């Protein structure tokens, strides 16, 4: 099973486990950085406010936030529907 990050990297021709900054995700996906930052911040907040939902292998709020961001930019994920109001394509 692949992660949303691995699916993102495969789609954009990168090494599967290569990390990306929010700026990289914005540039490659075509979504505005402002919306991705909002989704990232929501992920950090969820890590802190709902710790029982965090998987044991996730070690930081930032890791949880990046996972949420990668999931949001995948149109097949439930997260993309939850966060669609923040996903605005660049012109």
């Amino acid at each position: 099973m692949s992660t949303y990050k691995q699916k993102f990297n495969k789609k954009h021709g990168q090494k599967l486990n290569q990390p990306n900054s929010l700026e990289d995700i914005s540039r490659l996906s075509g979504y505005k950085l402002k919306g991705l930052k909002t989704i990232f911040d929501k992920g950090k907040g969820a890590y802190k406010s709902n710790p029982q939902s965090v998987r044991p292998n996730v070690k930081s709020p930032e890791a949880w936030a990046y996972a949420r961001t990668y999931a949001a930019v995948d149109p097949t994920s439930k997260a993309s529907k939850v966060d669609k109001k923040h996903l605005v394509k660049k012109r």
Side-chain angles (χ1 to χ4, degrees):
M1 183 174 166
S2 61
T3 64
Y4 286 113
K5 176 170 93 170
Q6 290 170 335
K7 286 172 69 175
F8 178 88
N9 284 341
K10 184 177 180 183
K11 178 178 178 179
H12 296 287
Q14 301 182 92
K15 293 179 183 169
L16 284 185
N17 290 314
Q18 175 180 323
N20 292 289
S21 66
L22 290 178
E23 290 81 4
D24 294 336
I25 297 170
S26 172
R27 179 175 46 80
L28 293 167
S29 69
Y31 290 114
K32 290 185 177 183
L33 182 59
K34 182 180 178 186
L36 296 180
K37 284 182 177 178
T38 301
I39 294 166
F40 185 85
D41 290 342
K42 286 174 66 176
K44 280 175 51 175
Y47 179 93
K48 293 175 182 172
S49 67
N50 194 5
Q52 66 274 18
S53 71
V54 178
R55 287 163 192 76
N57 60 330
V58 178
K59 302 296 182 206
S60 72
E62 290 76 17
W64 191 254
Y66 271 111
R68 181 177 181 140
T69 305
Y70 281 116
V73 299
D74 183 331
T76 66
S77 77
K78 196 163 78 170
S80 70
K81 292 166 188 61
V82 171
D83 289 323
K84 71 180 175 188
K85 67 178 175 254
H86 305 297
L87 292 172
V88 178
K89 284 285 191 180
K90 299 176 192 176
R91 294 183 183 199

